[in-house]
Amino acid sequence: MGGGGGGDGRTGVWLVGARGSVATTVIAGCAAVAAGLHPPTGMVTETAPFEGVPLPPPASLVFGGHDTASYPLLKRAEELASGGVLPYGLPHAVRAELAAADAAIRPGGPLPGDERGDTELVTAFTADLRAFARGHRLDRVVVVNVASTEPAAGSEDADEHLPPSCLYAHAALRAGCSYVNFTPSTGMHHPLLQQMAVCSGLPYAGRDGKTGQTLLRSVLAPMFAQRALPVRAWSGTNLLGGGDGATLADPGAAAAKNAGKARVLADTLGAVPPGEVHIDNVSALGDWKTAWDHVAFEGFLGNRMILQTVWQGCDSALAAPLVLDLARLMAAAHAAGLAGPITPLGFYFKDPDGGPAALADQYAGLLAFADDLRGRR
């Protein structure tokens, strides 16, 4: 499943967490864009600077995935439409595409009571990926992790079972697939997978998609640094519901999520200012979230000032176009023979694999990457 052709030029997008809100929005949204039902709002790869870049068109993307749930995608899409996440009537309009993706989803793991060890699970996941590529005659497959956040792994886990995100990442490497970690989970960053990833000759990127509060921080933090305004404290609160809210009620999962939020401040300001980020589960919010930031900073002659921001958005609608961008860009990187961490894709992540932390610098790097891909045609 390397960079060569075969099939009809189609690219597989294998979503880990394929029945979740983000994945369902990705699949339904891609179908809507491909059919011309809605514009590609939020897809950076559909803007003018990316004209001529050899990206797979949305209509060529074929979806499958792993999930431990068995809830039908159409029902999930209808729920999202009822909650205002998807446009009214869209699930019915793209029901054929949802059904096709639904048929390609395979059971994930480990499931409750699952006695299979890590090796058996990785073997099963690898077989699923290879069967997907072969059955749909795909040129290549990009594995994208959009599953719920795992608790941060401790060193005591090193000799025990790998986290599920690492098992999926391992399977991607074995199946010859490029890999994107859109979550804060360990994935390819586990020490046992790092050398394997380097030796695989495959491209990968991550981690933790930058969709809201941290996106804003990556714009504001450089402003303070560039204007020589010392930040005295930076605190934040997140209110969210749905599956993410329930998952992040676990302190371990919340800690993994907050690590990326702090990194942009550390990288841009030189150190993390005093302050904390709180994540509160408000189930009534569903797929919607509110994020507050409170920034205390110092001005000329010691004048103390405050900046406060409020970000309200729909998490799945913010994430879905980024996932589609990443799948297309990673497929192009794989086709071009690129390998290892694709640093210019740090534009999309809270915790990127190297590169600058400021959004403007990251965007400049992404545009340079687009030029490089264009020149490799």
Side-chain angles (χ1 to χ4, degrees):
M1 203 187 304
D8 53 7
R10 298 193 301 173
T11 296
V13 181
W14 189 265
L15 301 167
V16 179
R19 300 189 187 278
S21 297
V22 172
T24 305
T25 306
V26 167
I27 296 165
C30 184
V33 169
L37 301 176
H38 289 271
T41 305
M43 290 180 65
V44 180
T45 52
E46 285 294 302
T47 60
F50 288 83
E51 290 181 5
V53 178
L55 303 174
S60 75
L61 301 181
V62 181
F63 293 96
H66 280 118
D67 206 308
T68 56
S70 57
Y71 201 66
L73 278 183
L74 179 58
K75 289 292 185 184
R76 185 73 189 114
E78 289 171 344
E79 287 180 351
L80 292 174
S82 296
V85 178
L86 296 179
Y88 176 79
L90 181 61
H92 179 76
V94 299
R95 63 190 183 281
E97 290 86 347
L98 290 169
D102 210 22
I105 297 174
R106 296 293 175 262
L111 296 164
D114 200 331
E115 296 182 356
R116 291 177 295 176
D118 288 356
T119 300
E120 293 172 285
L121 286 166
V122 170
T123 299
F125 297 160
T126 303
D128 291 336
L129 284 164
R130 288 173 173 162
F132 175 64
R134 183 173 57 251
H136 292 275
R137 301 185 67 244
L138 303 172
D139 281 355
R140 58 194 56 84
V141 176
V142 183
V143 175
V144 186
N145 184 6
V146 290
S148 298
T149 301
E150 296 171 346
S155 58
E156 68 272 9
D157 297 325
D159 297 323
E160 299 179 5
H161 290 294
L162 289 172
S165 65
C166 297
L167 303 180
Y168 293 118
H170 188 178
L173 293 175
R174 285 185 55 180
C177 304
S178 54
Y179 174 82
V180 174
N181 189 359
F182 202 74
T183 80
S185 301
T186 306
M188 203 77 78
H189 284 75
H190 195 284
L192 295 178
L193 293 183
Q194 282 290 283
Q195 188 60 39
M196 187 184 305
V198 170
C199 296
S200 70
L202 295 164
Y204 57 91
R207 60 187 163 174
D208 199 3
K210 183 165 56 186
T211 59
Q213 186 179 46
T214 309
L215 176 66
L216 197 57
R217 287 181 168 205
S218 68
V219 175
L220 292 176
M223 176 192 73
F224 287 110
Q226 291 162 5
R227 292 296 297 268
L229 299 171
V231 175
R232 300 176 54 247
W234 198 316
S235 300
T237 296
N238 288 263
L239 307 179
L240 68 162
D244 266 358
T247 298
L248 295 173
D250 181 328
K257 188 76 171 177
N258 286 338
K261 293 178 180 292
R263 178 176 171 180
V264 68
L265 300 184
D267 288 354
T268 307
L269 301 176
V272 179
E276 296 183 2
V277 176
H278 296 277
I279 300 177
D280 297 326
N281 178 26
V282 183
S283 58
L285 292 177
D287 206 54
W288 300 82
K289 66 179 180 181
T290 297
W292 292 306
D293 268 291
H294 185 283
V295 187
F297 65 99
E298 188 171 301
F300 192 53
L301 303 178
N303 198 311
R304 293 188 170 184
M305 294 174 267
I306 298 292
L307 170 68
Q308 296 185 61
T309 66
V310 179
W311 176 282
Q312 293 180 303
C314 172
D315 209 35
S316 296
L318 289 165
L322 308 187
V323 171
L324 289 169
D325 275 354
L326 285 163
R328 300 174 76 199
L329 288 163
M330 190 59 72
H334 193 186
L338 300 179
I342 307 300
T343 303
L345 297 186
F347 175 76
Y348 294 97
F349 297 108
K350 296 183 182 73
D351 188 13
D353 294 300
L359 189 69
D361 296 336
Q362 291 177 332
Y363 182 62
L366 182 66
L367 295 185
F369 179 60
D371 285 339
D372 179 47
L373 290 175
R374 193 182 289 111
R376 291 171 180 263
R377 296 193 69 162

